[in-house]
Amino acid sequence: MGKSSKDKRDAYYRLAKEQGWRARSAFKLLQLDEEFNLFENVTRVVDLCAAPGSWSQVLSRVLIKGEKFGRCAWQDREAKFRQQMLKVFSSDEAPEQQKPAVRTDTSVDENPRPRGDVKIVSIDLQPISPLPGIITLRADITHPATVPLLLKALDPDYDPETMNQQASQPVDLVISDGAPDVTGLHDLDIYVQSQLLFAALNLALCVLKPGGKFVAKIFRGRNVDLLYAQLKIFFEKVYVAKPRSSRASSVEAFIVCINFQPPEGFKASLEEPLGVGSRLPRMLAERNAVVPIVAPVLMQDSETGAWNDTPDRPQTADESGISDVEVDDLSTGPQDKDIRWVAPFVACGDLSAFDSDASYKLPEDHVSLDPVQPPTAPPYKRAIELRRANGGAYGKPPGK
Ligand code: SAM
């Protein structure tokens, strides 16, 4: 697909280039923040699976520069863009308004207030081009050696010889947008994604402070309700959210976990990581005995239209009749009995925002911009080099 037709078919791809974001994913984080106020009182953040770095850009602009992307600022900007688009679509518009796309500074905050003592560490398998004020690490989040690397980045005094795997200076928020190279084999993709999610959760448990938040990409599949129940061991509230910039046709969603409350005596350990063995089911059973799993129900206020949690309705898994479900995948063995729990689903992003599944007409003189940050070391780079060396896709003509 050419750049221009991609611009037409993917409004967020085009907007990302016009607004200077390295990837369209930036809008997902902004829309999640719009709904959950993720950055409130946050100064220390870990961004996992961060390349090419659009989530880190959002963090940098909000925390380091102090820009505001709250509900109002974001909606204002969206409204402005929609207006521009509508102008562009209307045929009786003066020609000078049909301008080709240009990069625009989208800052709407005239009075930015940088936060003090900000620390942001971003990790990816791929190199991340530098971003001011952000520590970037090239590492595999599923590898145990990444934990000391991360702890050292968060606290230069960290000494792996003498200190345990818990951050001495913990963080307020861990975000993970990790995605494997999708194979198209649905079950395999969901399985690999769930492994990335558990790796992100294990890292988060090592570095989060009580009260902290965890946001991660998931692929919704069979038994995802089991995963929600497991997250509920550690967080007071667990939601599954779908930003408007994430295509409705994709299984992608984000779990948003609020108020980290590790069970008493819990110690994160990568020697016994969660996601394998019987640790999670055991903890789930213990936790459910002490703190009944509470399933909040979202109710819409008929007057304001706002969605609110109903007052928490204590309900053990047994009472709800959803216990003792035989599970045969994800983290538990086939013999384990476990609990499922349905997390409230929240669609986020203003309804007037662009629809990521729709194609939009572009002005005739539309000029497609190059991506802000081309991939630094894409896995296909070597293949392209080899193909070029061999004279292109069809090989060297005979006799050359
Ligand atoms: N949030 C990013 C942004 O806003 O620019 C986009 C992330 S992209 C959708 C998914 C990333 O996950 C890729 O850059 C990939 O390299 C990374 N990834 C996949 N498996 C990983 C692993 N095991 N460790 C670290 N990063 C991983």
Side-chain angles (χ1 to χ4, degrees):
M1 193 195 308
K3 259 193 301 161
S4 241
S5 57
K6 197 159 176 206
D7 279 359
K8 203 185 293 177
R9 289 172 52 155
D10 188 340
Y12 289 98
Y13 169 78
R14 190 188 68 246
L15 281 185
K17 294 187 295 173
E18 289 172 11
Q19 295 184 13
W21 301 113
R22 291 182 178 185
R24 67 193 293 292
S25 326
F27 297 104
K28 298 178 192 170
L29 186 60
L30 289 168
Q31 289 170 347
L32 288 168
D33 172 50
E34 190 184 308
E35 189 67 42
F36 295 99
N37 216 356
L38 294 177
F39 306 131
E40 191 181 28
N41 300 326
V42 161
T43 52
R44 294 171 63 83
V45 189
V46 173
D47 181 6
L48 300 172
C49 302
S54 75
W55 281 23
S56 296
Q57 283 182 291
V58 172
L59 294 173
S60 156
R61 289 182 67 168
V62 174
L63 308 186
I64 299 176
K65 290 196 188 156
E67 286 181 41
K68 237 181 157 175
F69 286 92
R71 192 175 269 271
C72 293
W74 171 244
Q75 281 175 355
D76 283 355
R77 178 159 348 106
E78 290 257 321
K80 231 167 34 193
F81 268 105
R82 284 195 80 76
Q83 248 174 18
Q84 281 171 4
M85 289 307 293
L86 287 176
K87 276 184 187 167
V88 155
F89 293 157
S90 109
S91 52
D92 53 359
E93 207 53 57
E96 66 268 20
Q97 280 171 322
Q98 298 189 2
K99 292 210 175 92
V102 283
R103 285 211 216 294
T104 48
D105 178 7
T106 56
S107 171
V108 287
D109 199 347
E110 273 146 29
N111 195 10
R113 267 152 294 145
R115 303 180 189 187
D117 283 339
V118 170
K119 183 102 181 201
I120 302 167
V121 181
S122 302
I123 304 182
D124 200 284
L125 279 176
Q126 305 295 331
I128 306 168
S129 293
L131 280 165
I134 293 189
I135 301 171
T136 55
L137 301 175
R138 189 173 182 184
D140 180 348
I141 66 159
T142 64
H143 200 287
T146 302
V147 183
L149 266 183
L150 172 60
L151 295 177
K152 184 87 186 157
L154 287 168
D155 173 8
D157 293 334
Y158 172 76
D159 176 5
E161 299 294 318
T162 55
M163 292 155 113
N164 64 23
Q165 291 187 329
Q166 210 84 37
S168 54
Q169 296 179 25
V171 305
D172 308 295
L173 171 67
V174 175
I175 54 181
S176 172
D177 193 19
D181 287 336
V182 175
T183 63
L185 298 171
H186 214 56
D187 286 350
L188 179 64
D189 291 338
I190 289 177
Y191 175 76
V192 178
Q193 172 66 27
S194 74
Q195 296 309 301
L196 268 184
L197 176 74
F198 275 115
L201 176 64
N202 279 307
L203 278 175
L205 295 176
C206 293
V207 300
L208 267 184
K209 62 168 68 152
K213 300 168 206 164
F214 175 59
V215 176
K217 187 193 322 255
I218 54 162
F219 286 173
R220 285 164 301 153
R222 219 159 45 95
N223 290 326
V224 74
D225 40 1
L226 170 64
L227 171 72
Y228 301 149
Q230 292 169 337
L231 290 164
K232 200 78 170 82
I233 300 172
F234 300 100
F235 297 89
E236 186 202 349
K237 289 183 188 262
V238 176
Y239 298 95
V240 55
K242 181 83 174 168
R244 204 160 153 74
S245 47
S246 169
R247 290 186 190 90
S249 49
S250 123
V251 288
E252 170 189 272
F254 293 85
I255 42 134
V256 178
C257 307
I258 313 258
N259 195 5
F260 178 50
Q261 296 179 330
E264 213 173 312
F266 170 80
K267 282 237 170 349
S269 155
L270 283 209
E271 267 86 62
E272 204 195 346
L274 300 177
V276 289
S278 58
R279 197 172 176 209
L280 261 176
R282 202 176 60 232
M283 288 170 61
L284 196 51
E286 282 165 14
R287 182 82 176 202
N288 197 36
V290 185
V291 186
I293 290 209
V294 174
V297 177
L298 287 189
M299 300 280 281
Q300 194 167 23
D301 186 310
S302 52
E303 278 174 18
T304 62
W307 290 88
N308 303 314
D309 281 7
T310 50
D312 279 353
R313 202 161 34 88
Q315 181 190 52
T316 63
D318 281 345
E319 283 163 3
S320 68
I322 52 169
S323 64
D324 281 1
V325 179
E326 200 87 45
V327 287
D328 56 6
D329 65 358
L330 282 179
S331 62
T332 54
Q335 75 286 9
D336 291 314
K337 302 261 179 176
D338 223 300
I339 306 169
R340 288 158 190 271
W341 181 73
V342 180
F345 182 88
V346 182
C348 44
D350 183 54
L351 275 183
S352 67
F354 285 106
D355 176 351
S356 47
D357 285 285
S359 287
Y360 289 85
K361 197 176 150 207
L362 294 171
E364 269 168 22
D365 58 354
H366 171 77
V367 176
S368 182
L369 298 174
D370 283 331
V372 173
Q373 178 65 57
T376 345
Y380 49 82
K381 193 172 161 198
R382 179 89 187 112
I384 293 176
E385 281 166 5
L386 284 173
R387 199 165 79 172
R388 275 204 196 118
N390 282 316
Y394 302 104
K396 284 188 180 137
K400 298 248 166 152

